[in-house]
Amino acid sequence: MVLYSKASIENLSEILIGLINWPRHPLSVEHAEKYVTEIRFVCDELDSKIFHFNTQFTLHKSFGNKVHTYRKSKQTSWYIIYNLDRHGNVYIQRILSNHTTTIE
């Protein structure tokens, strides 16, 4: 089962609004909704993954123990930060882009 924290749901809303209002190349509402739906689909499949990778960046570690990287384009990757329980349930904590993650 995949569960979303309030913060991760807010992240998805912020991504949608950010894409629609992106100064360099705003997306149509329809295109932005499809983009966010694709991210949500990736999230919803995490409980079926065999391998779960540990977080590496300090920022990510402050939100959860595991991370899935979804590479959307050459320029943009999304980090889905989550925790697992002993039953394999996924608790998504945050969804961040590579543009907001600094390398330590």
Side-chain angles (χ1 to χ4, degrees):
M1 179 184 305
V2 176
L3 301 166
Y4 292 81
S5 70
K6 183 178 179 181
S8 67
I9 292 169
E10 289 172 2
N11 293 150
L12 290 168
S13 294
E14 292 164 355
I15 293 166
L16 178 67
I17 292 166
L19 292 170
I20 293 168
N21 295 306
W22 186 18
R24 288 182 51 204
H25 182 56
L27 301 182
S28 68
V29 172
E30 181 181 313
H31 190 186
E33 286 174 342
K34 182 179 177 191
Y35 190 109
V36 172
T37 298
E38 290 172 8
I39 295 171
R40 183 83 187 240
F41 179 79
V42 170
C43 293
D44 289 341
E45 295 293 312
L46 287 175
D47 63 342
S48 64
K49 298 286 182 192
I50 295 172
F51 297 106
H52 297 275
F53 297 96
N54 293 328
T55 51
Q56 299 297 314
F57 300 121
T58 302
L59 175 64
H60 295 179
K61 288 178 182 181
S62 69
F63 298 125
N65 299 322
K66 303 294 180 185
V67 64
H68 177 79
T69 304
Y70 170 52
R71 187 169 174 120
K72 179 67 178 155
S73 69
K74 285 187 219 177
Q75 297 82 19
T76 305
S77 294
W78 292 98
Y79 298 111
I80 303 162
I81 300 141
Y82 61 98
N83 290 314
L84 284 174
D85 70 12
R86 61 188 176 118
H87 303 290
N89 294 312
V90 172
Y91 296 92
I92 297 176
Q93 302 299 318
R94 295 290 166 105
I95 302 168
L96 305 171
S97 79
N98 61 302
H99 302 289
T100 59
T101 299
T102 57
I103 299 173
E104 299 87 26

